[in-house]
Amino acid sequence: MAFHGSKCCRRILGRHYDVKALSTQHVKLFAPSSTPKLRRWYSSATQEENELEFVSLANSSAAVPAAKIGTIQELAVPVGQRQRLNEEVLPFSAFLTDNFGRRHSYLRISLTEKCNLRCQYCMPEEGVKLTPRSQLLSTSEVLTVAQLFVREGVEKIRLTGGEPLIRPDVLDIITELRKLEGLKTIAVTTNGMNLARLLPKLKEAGLDLLNISLDTLVPAKFEFIVRRKGFHKVMEGIDKAIEMGYNPVKVNCVVMRGLNEDELLDFVALTEKKPLEVRFIEYMPFDGNKWNFKKMVSYQEMLDRIRQQWPSLEQLPLGKTDTAKTFKVPGFQGQVGFITSMSDQFCGSCNRLRITADGNLKVCLFGNTEVSLRDVLRSGASDQELLDIIGAAVGRKKKQHAGMFSISQMKNRPMILIGG
């Protein structure tokens, strides 16, 4: 593929460069590797250097999206040298990179809509209408989608639900995921009800990380919040995870005013002797959970209350794509984190995509736009066609979600049908 005409420019850091003079050898950087469509790869340069623009091709019927290849000097590197550079700093797939430079290397897959609890913040008391089994992703479809995403750069997959551990083939899925080259981390978010019994086999299959939901340390209150018995099963699962060497074991606690905000200090105290990361989650609005702004306890309010008891609480360094702001009481084994989706959004560093149990891709937890990958798979589409659809969805991802008040008015699935 060669460039023609006199106007072929790229804007980098606000400046335009004429790339007409580049040789055919240099321009091969844009050539597709195996398909007639342009296979776009993004370099690992900074977001500012990687500002997405378009290369206009004179005498061409369409404008072809340019790869985000960094500086003009980088563009002019001959192909052989360019290949060596890429071996040192691996590029990232354009299909999983949005228009704001966010690279989505973390995929959350919901394995089921079913759950053996009825948490107040997750679903209506009467439950939800479940999708017919035939319309849920099969085991082979889950693995096909996972393989495709991993091939494009996903390094972490989290299995969610509903309650993922009630899916009969969960061990088989984890075993097969473990075989995917390039997948570094397999995680599960569970309510802990079946965890103690399954954990030895889960670890043997290759499970790396655990998040366990627990919103209270009071058994009677547990029954009220989740509308079921089972507090001691969850605690047994947490202790079993610690015993089997998971460190840290993450405990997810949704904080709701008038319900469990009085237990903040008790949860922090758990981290003194146990390698836990208690993650306090701001109460979020979803269909059926009767969200009310007055129920939400903000991150800052929680932090202030904890610091009254432990003034020496220190903040830990924040990773580039971390969702939790983490803190530690000096001398404690564990730590605490805050998921601040409502009061202090972290959309700018989001690297997460979600696939619902019925096969829909959600590029934002709080967005109500979905694309069915299941239907595309079942139509017999090729990997490339599936990637094109994924890339288009990722490309439409907004800079940030609409904010707590707009979200509360927006039609969205109940949390149980999203998959967390």
Side-chain angles (χ1 to χ4, degrees), residues 114-125:
K114 295 180 180 179
C115 187
N116 42 9
L117 299 181
R118 293 290 183 272
C119 299
Q120 293 187 27
Y121 53 82
C122 186
M123 71 163 87
E125 185 173 2

Side-chain angles (χ1 to χ4, degrees), residues 388-415:
D388 288 339
I389 290 168
I390 292 168
V394 172
R396 291 191 296 269
K397 185 170 181 175
K398 296 180 180 179
K399 186 175 183 180
Q400 62 189 52
H401 66 62
M404 72 175 84
F405 294 109
S406 296
I407 289 171
S408 66
Q409 304 298 320
M410 183 178 7
K411 187 70 177 173
N412 200 359
R413 295 189 187 215
M415 189 64 161

Side-chain angles (χ1 to χ4, degrees), residues 142-248:
V142 168
L143 295 173
T144 296
V145 169
Q147 183 177 32
L148 185 63
F149 274 86
V150 170
R151 194 183 77 193
E152 291 299 314
V154 162
E155 296 179 336
K156 178 179 180 179
I157 289 179
R158 178 175 297 279
L159 302 177
T160 68
E163 169 48 43
L165 298 189
I166 67 175
R167 178 156 169 160
D169 59 354
V170 62
L171 291 171
D172 296 331
I173 289 173
I174 293 173
T175 299
E176 293 303 313
L177 289 177
R178 190 75 282 166
K179 298 175 183 178
L180 296 181
E181 185 179 351
L183 183 60
K184 296 179 180 178
T185 305
I186 302 173
V188 159
T189 295
T190 173
N191 61 28
M193 295 288 283
N194 298 334
L195 184 60
R197 175 174 58 86
L198 290 175
L199 194 51
K201 291 183 179 179
L202 288 167
K203 186 166 187 178
E204 183 181 351
L207 181 65
D208 299 303
L209 296 178
L210 269 171
N211 285 46
I212 304 167
S213 298
L214 180 65
D215 303 308
T216 178
L217 300 174
V218 180
K221 194 186 293 186
F222 176 90
E223 288 186 35
F224 176 74
I225 293 174
V226 308
R227 304 180 179 115
R228 296 289 187 275
K229 296 181 183 295
F231 173 79
H232 298 292
K233 288 184 178 181
V234 180
M235 295 305 295
E236 182 185 359
I238 292 173
D239 290 338
K240 185 72 172 179
I242 294 172
E243 175 191 326
M244 295 193 65
Y246 286 94
N247 185 1

Side-chain angles (χ1 to χ4, degrees), residues 306-314 330:
I306 293 169
R307 276 204 163 124
Q308 289 176 10
Q309 178 69 25
W310 291 283
S312 60
L313 186 74
E314 57 186 24

Side-chain angles (χ1 to χ4, degrees), residues 21 29 49 89 92 99 120 137-138 142 163-164 198 201 233 252 276 282 290 326 367 414:
L29 294 173
E49 290 173 326
V89 184
F92 194 82
N99 290 336
Q120 293 187 27
L137 290 183
S138 66
V142 168
E163 169 48 43
L198 290 175
K201 291 183 179 179
K233 288 184 178 181
N252 292 345
L276 301 175
E282 291 179 338
K290 299 178 182 177
T326 53

Side-chain angles (χ1 to χ4, degrees), residues 46-48 68 96-104 318-323 325 340-341 344-352 363-364 366 397-402:
T46 64
Q47 180 175 338
E48 289 76 16
K68 289 186 179 180
L96 302 185
T97 305
D98 67 19
N99 290 336
F100 304 97
R102 293 173 296 200
R103 300 172 178 182
H104 297 83
L318 189 66
K320 184 179 179 182
T321 57
D322 286 349
T323 56
K325 299 173 175 65
T340 63
S341 303
D344 187 12
Q345 54 86 9
F346 37 83
C347 302
S349 60
C350 181
N351 70 333
R352 293 152 180 77
V363 298
C364 176
F366 298 111
K397 185 170 181 175
K398 296 180 180 179
K399 186 175 183 180
Q400 62 189 52
H401 66 62

